Amino acid sequence: MDKWKKTILKFFILTPIVYVIMKPFENFLIKYVAFHSYLILKMFEPCYLEGNIIHLSNLSIEVIGVCTGVTLMAIYISLVIITAKNIKEFFIGSSIGLFLIYLGNLLRICLIAFIGTHGDYSIQTVHDIISYIDVPITVFASILWLKIQEILSNR
């Protein structure tokens, strides 16, 4: 089996394992995702936070486990594990990507809240459409990581 096929196979085997390991962090991250989303939203909208629920003028958004982005973080971390050449690269890649994915997820929640508050659309439709923003952000983080890794290996 050539190197490319081995890498793909490793990725598909490793990703569910990493997700199972990271899944417990969803509950841990809920309060942070809700709080950080609230901090951003309150700069633009009157709102208040009650536990993991952000209350806006005509809408309340509950941040739950799947809202934390852990699934996409697990996919990204799997890529970093497979491509990192050493522990230093792993920490650099993980830090950059997880930060970008976390910020992208906050942006997603804030956009859902903002459009849901000001638009005449079904909140479920807004949620379903805006939620796809996380995928391109994860792809961007992955491409950025591979470019950084290339720069590190040319040193």
Side-chain angles (χ1 to χ4, degrees):
M1 188 181 300
D2 70 353
K3 185 179 178 185
W4 177 247
K5 288 180 184 175
K6 273 185 176 176
T7 302
I8 296 294
L9 183 61
K10 283 182 197 175
F11 178 76
F12 281 107
I13 292 169
L14 186 61
T15 300
I17 295 167
V18 171
Y19 176 69
V20 167
I21 293 167
M22 290 181 69
K23 180 137 178 63
F25 290 107
E26 282 181 341
N27 290 334
F28 171 77
L29 287 173
I30 289 171
K31 62 184 172 188
Y32 296 104
V33 171
F35 180 70
H36 292 135
S37 298
Y38 158 75
L39 288 178
I40 294 167
L41 279 169
K42 82 175 195 171
M43 291 190 285
F44 305 101
E45 295 287 325
C47 61
Y48 68 95
L49 181 65
E50 183 179 23
N52 62 326
I53 300 173
I54 304 167
H55 298 278
L56 296 111
S57 60
N58 63 346
L59 176 70
S60 293
I61 295 180
E62 181 180 12
V63 177
I64 60 174
V66 295
C67 297
T68 60
V70 166
T71 303
L72 292 171
M73 290 178 187
I75 293 169
Y76 177 80
I77 289 296
S78 298
L79 172 72
V80 174
I81 289 170
I82 289 171
T83 58
K85 292 177 180 61
N86 54 49
I87 196 76
K88 178 184 172 187
E89 281 192 6
F90 172 77
F91 283 117
I92 291 169
S94 298
S95 301
I96 292 168
L98 293 179
F99 179 72
L100 287 173
I101 293 168
Y102 187 83
L103 286 181
N105 197 44
L106 295 180
L107 173 66
R108 177 185 69 84
I109 292 169
C110 292
L111 283 173
I112 291 168
F114 190 77
I115 294 170
T117 300
H118 295 286
D120 292 332
Y121 311 102
S122 154
I123 189 64
Q124 189 61 48
T125 302
V126 170
H127 175 274
D128 292 347
I129 292 170
I130 298 295
S131 289
Y132 285 103
I133 196 170
D134 281 349
V135 174
I137 289 170
T138 304
V139 170
F140 171 75
S142 300
I143 292 169
L144 180 63
W145 159 241
L146 294 172
K147 187 64 180 168
I148 290 169
Q149 189 182 31
E150 182 183 309
I151 291 167
L152 291 173
S153 65
N154 287 335
R155 287 180 149 189

